[in-house]
Amino acid sequence: MAGGAFVSARTGKEYPGKITLYVFLTCIVAACGGLIFGYDIGISGGVTAMTPFLQKFFPKVYRQESGADSTNQYCKFDSIPLTLFTSSLYLAALVASFFASAVTKIFGRKVSMFVGGIVFLGGAAINGAAQNVAMLIIGRIMLGIGVGFSNQSVPLYLSEMAPYKFRGALNICFQLMITIGILCANLVNYGTDKIESGQGWRVSLGLAGVPALIITVGALFLPDTPNSIIGRNKPEEARKHLQRIRGPVNIDEEFNDLVAASDESKMVENPWRNLLQRRYRPHLCMAILIPFFQQLTGINVVMFYAPVLFKTIGFGNNASLMSAVITGLVNVFATFAAIFIVDKKGRRFLFLEGGCQMFIFQVLVGVLIWIKFGTDGIAVIPKGYAILVVFCICMFVAGFAWSWGPLGWLVPSEIFPLEIRSAAQSINVSVNMLFTFIIAQVFLSMLCHMKFGLFFFFGGFVFIMTIFVYFFVPETKGIPIEEMSQVWKQHWYWGKFIPEDGHVEMAKPAKTVA
């Protein structure tokens, strides 16, 4: 069947339950785990564009940036130590996600969030007090451990807590918090850059402790998910908790299905080895390819290095930071749009529309920079031309923010069966962090060597991944999370990997006494 579609993925099960105030508040608090990731993405690019920071830690880059060593705009920030400052976090997050998998499964999702918040808090303190590059890197590694734990646990927590009809909207709150974190970081950088003492970069880095404190304290008060509680052999406690989060409705069928899924998962001794089984081939492919393509959209070119990028293409220091604030605002509002659309239009619609939009405007950005800078990288951009470049970048950011941004976390968190869920989510996070690390580490060097062609390079990947979605990513809207196996069984391609007994046979609802 063309386009990755299927006749109907509906399982016939309609669990009752709406978004209660209790569920809404717990999901918002949990989603704040995205703040630490977003704040870090936004803060690093702004700090590396601040003159006092460069003078203290990266004097060679400062000489390049000031034009003392080179006038080539493309190569002003080309420095391996500078990119290592940004990218070391993501390498640490990659490693931490595997440890987070065990913590999440054994102790629950909220414990993993708490650990992430505490370690991130320590990293923020070290970065804010840094006296040399070594302290910067150590602090970044601690931040990375915090990000690895929170990114592994928060999307799972949201998908398991949410009523299935509203799972998309509540899960995207994680991406919303990431975008808010980026925006807050851009605003902080814009303000601290004006501090006359030249210590504004310390304030920017140290304030990462604020979002870390929010998720750390919030995790102390969060309940764990019914799935996690059942997995730790506390079925009665899980039933009471499920009743509380679903409200005054009959939860027997959903509870029995959760128990059946948990019983099935306990029969799996090694979920990492099981991921290699043929029946889990679709899940493994999605756990690898979705985060891979998400990072190859080129979004990190904008979000990590927005101020550096705008400064590189001829904007002044304040103008570059303000342009980053503008793209941050677009990011937040477009993510709000995704929250309202995802459970109505579905995941595939957003994937495909966003992919087309990103491709068009990324190519346009490349063309505009090509026209003005050519291959020598020497030019001055008029105000009107600069506004056009910012507009195209904003449209690219909007396309990502309502498609691959939130869906890159949502879809993997909802498609894995319980027996491999924690391990598969770790694969998802580690692949995401691996390619985030690679892009962060090589981007400035690629910009120096590939020049405007860099945007065409990422645009090509956007085109490929949109084709991939059309043929291989099924629609998961409105499917209970423990019934997701039907999606794969009915898919035109993935169905051949799923045996007839390739899903959990859910328990029949228990009879209740009138």
Side-chain angles (χ1 to χ4, degrees):
M1 189 167 292
F6 43 85
V7 176
S8 173
R10 292 195 102 29
T11 61
K13 295 199 175 186
E14 298 279 344
Y15 299 143
K18 298 181 179 180
I19 298 181
T20 62
L21 179 62
Y22 179 67
V23 167
F24 177 76
L25 292 177
T26 55
C27 285
I28 291 297
V29 172
C32 286
L35 285 174
I36 63 176
F37 189 29
Y39 186 87
D40 182 81
I41 290 174
I43 213 69
S44 55
V47 165
T48 52
M50 293 182 184
T51 298
F53 179 82
L54 292 177
Q55 287 176 321
K56 182 174 179 62
F57 297 105
F58 305 99
K60 180 182 177 182
V61 178
Y62 169 69
R63 291 193 298 272
Q64 290 175 184
E65 190 269 335
S66 62
D69 290 351
S70 172
T71 57
N72 190 325
Q73 297 280 1
Y74 291 123
C75 300
K76 288 167 68 173
F77 292 90
D78 184 20
S79 166
I80 292 177
L82 179 62
T83 52
L84 186 61
F85 162 70
T86 297
S87 61
S88 56
L89 180 148
Y90 305 100
L91 191 61
L94 186 161
V95 176
S97 65
F98 290 102
F99 294 97
S101 172
V103 173
T104 300
K105 183 174 182 179
I106 296 171
F107 299 104
R109 284 56 167 149
K110 61 175 288 184
V111 171
S112 192
M113 291 182 223
F114 179 78
V115 171
I118 285 288
V119 179
F120 195 94
L121 194 59
I126 292 175
N127 270 176
Q131 298 298 322
N132 49 54
V133 175
M135 285 185 71
L136 283 179
I137 300 299
I138 291 171
R140 294 288 291 176
I141 289 172
M142 291 183 68
L143 295 178
I145 294 171
V147 167
F149 271 81
S150 65
N151 285 12
Q152 205 278 341
S153 55
V154 173
L156 290 184
Y157 184 94
L158 296 174
S159 286
E160 291 178 350
M161 285 289 286
Y164 74 96
K165 291 182 180 179
F166 307 99
R167 188 175 60 243
L170 289 176
N171 190 285
I172 288 178
C173 287
F174 177 65
Q175 177 67 18
L176 176 64
M177 290 300 178
I178 292 177
T179 63
I180 291 174
I182 294 171
L183 175 60
C184 289
N186 289 334
L187 290 170
V188 167
N189 282 334
Y190 185 74
T192 58
D193 187 55
K194 300 180 185 298
I195 296 177
E196 294 183 1
S197 66
Q199 299 296 302
W201 61 270
R202 291 193 186 278
V203 178
S204 291
L205 294 177
L207 283 177
V210 174
L213 200 59
I214 292 173
I215 187 59
T216 302
V217 174
L220 292 175
F221 297 96
L222 284 176
D224 223 329
T225 66
N227 313 61
S228 179
I229 297 171
I230 291 172
R232 300 199 303 276
N233 298 314
K234 299 177 181 179
E236 290 307 312
E237 180 183 338
R239 175 185 280 276
K240 291 178 182 178
H241 182 52
L242 183 63
Q243 187 72 71
R244 185 180 183 188
I245 65 177
R246 295 292 181 256
V249 296
N250 189 327
I251 53 133
D252 287 346
E253 184 174 25
E254 183 176 6
F255 175 74
N256 289 330
D257 284 353
L258 292 178
V259 171
S262 179
D263 290 343
E264 182 80 5
S265 71
K266 290 174 183 176
M267 297 171 62
V268 178
E269 296 181 0
N270 192 327
W272 296 100
R273 187 182 303 152
N274 270 50
L275 267 171
L276 300 177
Q277 290 183 9
R278 179 181 172 85
R279 69 174 62 197
Y280 298 123
R281 191 71 48 79
H283 311 83
L284 182 60
C285 287
M286 294 300 160
I288 294 172
L289 291 176
I290 288 179
F292 167 78
F293 281 130
Q294 187 191 49
Q295 296 313 309
L296 268 294
T297 58
I299 188 63
N300 291 335
V301 173
V302 177
M303 289 305 163
F304 283 168
Y305 299 109
V308 172
L309 179 65
F310 288 124
K311 202 171 181 180
T312 296
I313 59 178
F315 290 53
N317 196 46
N318 281 343
S320 68
L321 290 171
M322 180 50 68
S323 298
V325 170
I326 293 171
T327 57
L329 282 168
V330 171
N331 202 13
V332 170
F333 286 113
T335 304
F336 267 115
I339 290 175
F340 291 104
I341 295 173
V342 68
D343 288 316
K344 295 178 181 178
K345 293 288 188 178
R347 284 60 160 157
R348 279 172 53 82
F349 171 82
L350 289 177
F351 264 138
L352 296 172
E353 191 284 331
C356 293
Q357 182 173 328
M358 284 190 291
F359 175 75
I360 291 169
F361 285 97
Q362 195 163 46
V363 169
L364 280 176
V365 171
V367 170
L368 290 171
I369 294 177
W370 180 12
I371 291 172
K372 208 65 186 174
F373 288 95
T375 57
D376 59 12
I378 302 174
V380 177
I381 298 185
K383 183 177 180 181
Y385 204 89
I387 291 173
L388 180 59
V389 172
V390 172
F391 172 78
C392 289
I393 288 177
C394 285
M395 292 302 294
F396 166 79
V397 169
F400 177 85
W402 60 49
S403 63
W404 277 88
L407 298 180
W409 296 106
L410 166 61
V411 173
S413 72
E414 67 183 359
I415 62 173
F416 304 133
L418 186 61
E419 63 267 22
I420 61 166
R421 189 171 298 159
S422 187
Q425 180 66 4
S426 287
I427 296 291
N428 178 56
V429 173
S430 62
V431 171
N432 190 299
M433 292 299 110
L434 173 62
F435 284 95
T436 302
F437 166 76
I438 292 172
I439 296 299
Q441 185 63 30
V442 305
F443 160 64
L444 292 176
S445 180
M446 289 174 70
L447 180 61
C448 181
H449 292 89
M450 296 178 67
K451 304 176 175 58
F452 57 85
L454 182 65
F455 295 92
F456 301 143
F457 171 80
F458 286 119
F461 275 100
V462 172
F463 179 81
I464 292 170
M465 73 192 197
T466 303
I467 299 298
F468 167 76
V469 167
Y470 183 79
F471 285 105
F472 296 106
V473 178
E475 181 59 70
T476 54
K477 177 189 75 171
I479 312 297
I481 195 169
E482 304 304 344
E483 292 283 301
M484 200 63 71
S485 61
Q486 299 303 314
V487 167
W488 305 108
K489 290 186 72 172
Q490 298 179 39
H491 188 271
W492 73 273
Y493 178 76
W494 299 120
K496 64 185 179 182
F497 293 96
I498 311 298
E500 286 303 313
D501 62 342
H503 68 286
V504 177
E505 291 293 341
M506 298 302 179
K508 300 293 183 183
K511 293 183 178 180
T512 56
V513 180

